[in-house]
């Protein structure tokens, strides 16, 4: 049995700090707004939706107590609707899609909503604690270092200079600026207040005024952490061939902290026929892969290779790629490993420009990819993200 994506909708992204436009909007409200928008757009019977699967990384405070079920209730689809929240760190939004697809392909479910939400202005990154990064008994044996150190380690090993990563970041901003101006973000909706008035109608983090010269003036974010806290030594102990780590990443060439929510509607062919809906894409393959937790962020390439093998495809069979820009070195490393040209990846910018709402990003990338494949009249796309702790996730979609 095939699993089809009938639609994808996301909110605009708001800056994830006290000055961000969406700080007054609860995460359950963010996600319920895309749920309501989906229902109103297609006018389907909401009682046919069986489950809501939402990725959310910071599952405490406003995002605790199974936020997926809270969203199911707030969206007024009906008391029948169940909800489950999951956490695969940055891959959560894509993991939700993959789990929904597995339910459909198995025949256990006919129609689900899958996606993610993260309000980083209200629930700060790391608010949930956790032993992986905080407990020496876990961190020390695994040579686990902060992600920024891992990103700088990747850049050092691959020979990416500060100028290289700044150039990539500049291109992300320019691509996002051009896409915004051209109206390419078709799956995006504004976030509204209780009176239906727009609070935010565009992605708040895009910076059209970005220049390479301006990026070059920013101080590296992880140099002091690496030296003073000893994390450079931990990484070099694992990778002695680098000699020393070149700290090239900073706020301008790393993913922005933002708020946002996104969902997809995933179901069988039969349920689509019953609802009078035409599927947009089918899910060809999905894979995960574990990597060394010290370098941590190189998972997209091996996960993508797994997905390609599962689908019986090669890199040349993929028309467009979305690789999350957690740090500039991540998609740059991915391009080198798979031989993907820059003009086929993140063509409308990425998280450096648009932001990375942790639990929602994988779903947002999927919707962006769907829109762009349709706009260009292309057929196949691959979405992939690096994941904290040393994991990667990848999903291949094909236009129907």
């Amino acid at each position: 049995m095939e699993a089809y994506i009938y639609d994808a909708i996301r909110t605009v992204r708001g800056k994830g700090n006290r000055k961000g436009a969406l700080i007054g909007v609860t995460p359950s409200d963010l996600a319920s707004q895309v749920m309501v928008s989906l229902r109103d757009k297609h006018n389907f019977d909401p009682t046919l939706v069986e489950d809501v699967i939402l990725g959310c990384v910071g599952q405490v405070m406003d995002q605790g107590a199974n936020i997926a079920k809270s969203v199911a209730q707030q969206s007024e689809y009906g008391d029948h609707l169940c909800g489950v929240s999951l956490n695969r760190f940055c891959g959560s939004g894509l993991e939700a899609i993959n789990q929904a697809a597995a339910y459909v392909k198995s025949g256990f479910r006919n129609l689900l909503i899958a996606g993610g939400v993260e309000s980083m202005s209200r629930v700060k990154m790391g608010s949930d604690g956790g032993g992986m990064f905080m407990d020496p008994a876990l961190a020390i044996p695994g040579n686990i270092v902060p992600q920024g150190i891992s990103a700088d380690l990747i850049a050092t090993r691959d020979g990416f200079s500060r100028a290289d990563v700044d150039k990539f970041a500049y291109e992300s901003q320019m691509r996002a600026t051009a896409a915004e101006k051209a109206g390419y973000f078709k799956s995006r909706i504004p976030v509204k207040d209780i009176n239906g008035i727009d609070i935010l109608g565009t992605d708040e983090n895009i910076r059209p005024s970005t220049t390479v010269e301006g990026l070059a003036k920013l101080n590296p974010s992880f140099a002091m952490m690496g030296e003073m806290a000893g994390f450079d030594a931990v990484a070099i102990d694992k990778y002695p061939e680098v000699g020393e780590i070149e700290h090239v990443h900073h706020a301008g060439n790393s993913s922005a902290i933002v708020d946002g929510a996104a969902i997809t509607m995933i179901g069988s062919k039969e349920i689509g026929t019953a609802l009078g809906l035409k599927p947009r894409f089918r899910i060809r393959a999905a894979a995960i892969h574990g990597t060394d937790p010290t370098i941590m962020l190189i998972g997209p390439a091996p996960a993508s290779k797994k997905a390609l093998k599962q689908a019986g495809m090669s890199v040349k069979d993929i028309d467009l790629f979305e690789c999350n820009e957690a740090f500039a070195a991540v998609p740059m490393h991915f391009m080198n490993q798979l031989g993907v040209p820059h003009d086929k990846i993140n063509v409308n910018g990425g998280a450096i420009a648009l932001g990375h709402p942790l639990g929602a990003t994988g779903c947002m990338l999927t919707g962006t990819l769907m829109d762009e494949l349709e706009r260009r009249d292309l057929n196949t796309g691959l979405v992939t993200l690096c994941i904290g702790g040393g994991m990667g996730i990848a999903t291949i979609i094909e236009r129907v």
Side-chain angles (χ1 to χ4, degrees):
M1 185 179 293
E2 297 286 357
Y4 295 94
I5 305 177
Y6 285 91
D7 209 353
I9 298 179
R10 73 167 175 93
T11 65
V12 292
R13 295 167 168 102
K15 291 182 179 180
N17 55 46
R18 286 183 290 178
K19 296 181 180 179
L22 301 182
I23 190 171
V25 184
T26 66
S28 57
D29 193 12
L30 281 175
S32 66
Q33 287 197 34
V34 285
M35 292 267 291
V36 171
S37 178
L38 178 72
R39 182 190 63 204
D40 292 348
K41 178 180 178 181
H42 295 290
N43 194 30
F44 59 84
D45 180 359
T47 64
L48 295 178
V49 180
E50 298 166 80
D51 206 356
V52 177
I53 305 175
L54 288 184
C56 184
V57 175
Q59 294 187 29
V60 294
M61 297 180 285
D62 284 346
Q63 296 179 164
N66 189 2
I67 190 170
K69 179 54 180 173
S70 298
V71 170
Q73 289 295 129
Q74 191 167 344
S75 64
E76 298 183 350
Y77 273 48
D79 291 341
H80 76 285
L81 186 56
C82 296
V84 61
S85 305
L86 61 84
N87 180 8
R88 199 187 284 281
F89 292 155
C90 299
S92 299
L94 191 58
E95 176 66 23
I97 290 173
N98 294 347
Q99 288 196 18
Y103 271 124
V104 172
K105 290 173 77 69
S106 70
F108 286 177
R109 306 277 193 279
N110 285 311
L111 186 65
L112 305 94
I113 286 174
V117 62
E118 206 82 31
S119 177
M120 301 181 77
S121 63
R122 297 173 70 96
V123 182
K124 302 300 181 185
M125 187 161 48
S127 294
D128 57 344
M132 183 183 295
F133 303 105
M134 305 298 291
D135 183 354
L138 286 171
I140 292 173
N143 286 72
I144 296 174
V145 297
Q147 288 190 9
I149 303 295
S150 297
D152 285 341
L153 175 59
I154 293 169
T156 303
R157 288 184 76 213
D158 285 13
F160 301 145
S161 68
R162 170 66 183 266
D164 293 333
V165 291
D166 282 353
K167 183 179 178 182
F168 184 93
Y170 169 78
E171 184 65 24
S172 179
Q173 289 284 357
M174 294 305 101
R175 290 181 177 191
T177 298
E180 178 70 51
K181 186 176 181 180
Y184 290 165
F185 299 127
K186 298 294 186 184
S187 296
R188 185 182 68 182
I189 64 167
V191 174
K192 299 179 181 294
D193 65 14
I194 194 171
N195 298 310
I197 299 171
D198 286 3
I199 298 173
L200 183 66
T202 60
D203 292 304
E204 194 175 18
N205 194 72
I206 301 174
R207 299 184 294 276
S209 61
T210 299
T211 63
V212 173
E213 294 75 18
L215 292 171
K217 295 177 182 178
L218 298 176
N219 292 325
S221 295
F222 309 104
M224 185 176 294
M225 177 191 297
E227 181 179 350
M228 301 298 289
F231 290 117
D232 279 4
V234 174
I236 292 169
D237 182 61
K238 193 74 172 285
Y239 294 91
E241 68 272 17
V242 302
E244 64 177 323
I245 294 176
E246 296 292 331
H247 291 286
V248 298
H249 288 94
H250 52 75
N253 58 32
S254 306
S255 56
I257 293 172
V258 295
D259 304 335
I263 58 170
T264 55
M265 186 182 194
I266 297 175
S268 64
K269 185 176 182 179
E270 291 74 20
I271 195 68
T273 301
L275 293 172
L277 297 178
K278 181 181 178 181
R280 293 174 62 186
F281 285 81
R282 72 180 177 117
I283 296 174
R284 281 286 302 268
I288 54 172
H289 188 87
T291 69
D292 167 31
T294 304
I295 202 162
M296 195 181 302
L297 307 173
I298 59 172
S304 296
K305 289 176 182 178
K306 270 188 177 179
L308 288 165
K309 183 177 180 180
Q310 185 184 121
M313 302 171 75
S314 72
V315 172
K316 293 181 180 180
D317 295 320
I318 304 298
D319 294 317
L320 292 176
F321 297 80
E322 286 286 334
C323 180
N324 188 38
E325 295 173 1
F327 301 89
V330 173
M332 293 171 69
H333 175 82
F334 175 78
M335 288 190 290
N336 281 358
Q337 290 294 303
L338 267 70
V340 176
H342 198 182
D343 62 0
K344 291 181 68 174
I345 187 169
N346 301 359
V347 295
N348 291 327
I352 290 172
L354 294 158
H356 176 24
L358 305 177
T361 303
C363 185
M364 288 187 170
L365 295 181
T366 303
T368 297
L369 183 60
M370 290 166 60
D371 287 345
E372 191 62 19
L373 286 168
E374 290 172 342
R375 190 184 74 82
R376 297 188 182 203
D377 196 21
L378 299 173
N379 293 309
T380 57
L382 186 150
V383 183
T384 185
L385 300 92
C386 63
I387 303 173
M391 294 183 280
I393 188 168
T395 302
I396 297 172
I397 61 173
E398 182 178 59
R399 198 168 159 202
V400 177

